Amino acid sequence: QQHPQQLQQPQQQQQLQQLQPHQQLARSVTREDRFIEEHKTSERRFAFQCPLCLETGEIQDAIELDCNHKMCTDCFKRYLESKIGEAQVAEDELVCPIPGCKAEITVAQVEGATSGTHMWDKFLQFRMGLWRPRSGDGSIASCPTPGCGRFVVPAGMEVVECPVCRKEFCPKCGGLGAHPGMTCEAHEARQRASSAADQSFEEVMAQQQWKRCPVCRAPSERESGCNFMQCRSELCRKRTFWCYICGKSFPRDQHYKHFPKGPYEDECCTPEAERIHVGP
């Protein structure tokens, strides 16, 4: 007679054999779920959202600046095209586009994004135009003759000779000839008075009520709109902000504070007696 335990063993083996396919299926599903979760985690790890266009892309396609800010390649190239197109390529102008960040965009980063294009050539041209000799080594003089270009002159010289056209001029104001005993401003005023063309332009300025930037004296016209001006001349390079009503320069944060009724109304906080005449 067989022992009851011996009778149960074949039954248990049969039950285990029946359970094996289910166990294998369960293990397979678990492995698949684990793979899917790991894949999702990997995607999250290697994906990022561009802070400029808000599109999601792969992190290996992103541009990372020295400040650790990342953006997509397309946005970075469009930003460079905008800044280079406006000649805003100085070290303190070509900076990270993230608001509040002033990290410089390096020449190598610009080259990596624009090399082989006309934008790279324009960038080099504008950067070259910004070069200045060190203090004490002289200054850059621009010959008043069209096409002659610029060259370095020693400090303290009142008259220089252009190496191309051989004309003499003042290296400070660019006026032809020397003007000893007379400031550049006085010399410029005398030249304007003696020039019929300049005189005509001054008359037009007076008739049209145009005004000049208080820093670089570039003529400015406000047809309508805001009275808080931003000078875009080569000297000011969008760094000078001034009031078209009183003619005084102000910090950028005075855009609204300086105008009691808003910058679109012809009234500012400067008393009439303190206003600067910036016309001709």
Side-chain angles (χ1 to χ4, degrees):
Q1 184 176 3
Q2 294 181 343
H3 194 276
Q5 187 174 2
Q6 294 176 344
L7 292 174
Q8 291 176 357
Q9 289 179 352
Q11 294 177 354
Q12 292 176 348
Q13 292 176 355
Q14 185 179 5
Q15 291 176 351
L16 290 174
Q17 292 175 354
Q18 293 175 350
L19 288 174
Q20 283 180 353
H22 298 287
Q23 292 173 342
Q24 292 175 354
L25 178 61
R27 285 195 293 269
S28 176
V29 171
T30 302
R31 284 196 298 270
E32 184 177 355
D33 290 343
R34 188 182 302 115
F35 174 79
I36 293 174
E37 184 61 31
E38 290 177 353
H39 182 68
K40 289 181 178 179
T41 302
S42 177
E43 284 186 335
R44 288 193 296 269
R45 186 182 302 119
F46 294 103
F48 88 109
Q49 185 182 53
C50 175
L52 302 181
C53 66
L54 303 181
E55 294 290 335
T56 301
E58 296 183 356
I59 199 168
Q60 61 264 28
D61 296 331
I63 299 293
E64 183 173 356
L65 303 180
D66 294 349
C67 53
N68 297 325
H69 284 134
K70 302 179 182 66
M71 64 206 69
C72 69
T73 303
D74 290 342
C75 284
F76 183 63
K77 288 183 177 180
R78 283 195 292 267
Y79 175 70
L80 290 181
E81 289 177 358
S82 174
K83 298 293 283 187
I84 295 174
E86 296 182 354
Q88 298 287 295
V89 298
E91 293 180 358
D92 60 343
E93 295 172 338
L94 194 57
V95 297
C96 174
I98 303 302
C101 183
K102 299 298 182 181
E104 176 192 354
I105 296 177
T106 65
V107 175
Q109 290 166 341
V110 177
E111 182 180 12
T114 64
S115 181
T117 69
H118 71 286
M119 297 305 299
W120 173 242
D121 295 334
K122 290 183 67 175
F123 170 78
L124 293 178
Q125 178 185 352
F126 290 142
R127 264 295 173 95
M128 187 180 303
L130 292 175
W131 181 85
R132 295 291 184 274
R134 293 178 300 178
S135 177
D137 290 345
S139 60
I140 298 290
S142 298
C143 178
T145 303
C148 283
R150 308 187 305 170
F151 54 95
V152 179
V153 299
M157 294 193 68
E158 295 185 355
V159 181
V160 296
E161 182 183 89
C162 175
V164 179
C165 68
R166 300 300 177 182
K167 289 184 178 179
E168 292 186 344
F169 65 95
C170 172
K172 295 181 181 179
C173 65
L176 290 174
H179 48 84
M182 182 182 298
T183 65
C184 292
E185 291 76 11
H187 178 66
E188 182 182 358
R190 187 175 67 176
Q191 284 188 320
R192 283 202 307 267
S194 62
S195 171
D198 286 346
Q199 187 64 34
S200 297
F201 179 73
E202 298 296 337
E203 291 174 0
V204 170
M205 283 196 63
Q207 292 172 2
Q208 299 296 326
Q209 296 184 342
W210 296 343
K211 299 185 179 182
R212 295 182 182 272
C213 168
V215 175
C216 70
R217 302 286 295 167
S220 303
E221 176 187 12
R222 186 188 72 89
E223 293 182 349
S224 62
C226 183
N227 281 297
F228 198 71
M229 310 294 287
Q230 182 182 32
C231 184
R232 296 172 178 265
S233 71
E234 184 178 354
L235 177 63
C236 290
R237 300 182 62 79
K238 299 170 69 174
R239 293 192 182 98
T240 300
F241 300 90
W242 58 286
C243 171
Y244 200 77
I245 300 171
C246 68
K248 289 188 174 183
S249 60
F250 293 94
R252 187 172 190 171
D253 60 9
Q254 295 293 313
H255 192 158
Y256 293 96
K257 299 176 183 177
H258 182 62
F259 304 94
K261 296 182 179 180
Y264 293 92
E265 298 294 332
D266 294 334
E267 181 179 342
C268 70
C269 294
T270 304
E272 184 70 31
E274 299 179 11
R275 296 181 182 183
I276 300 175
H277 179 65
V278 291

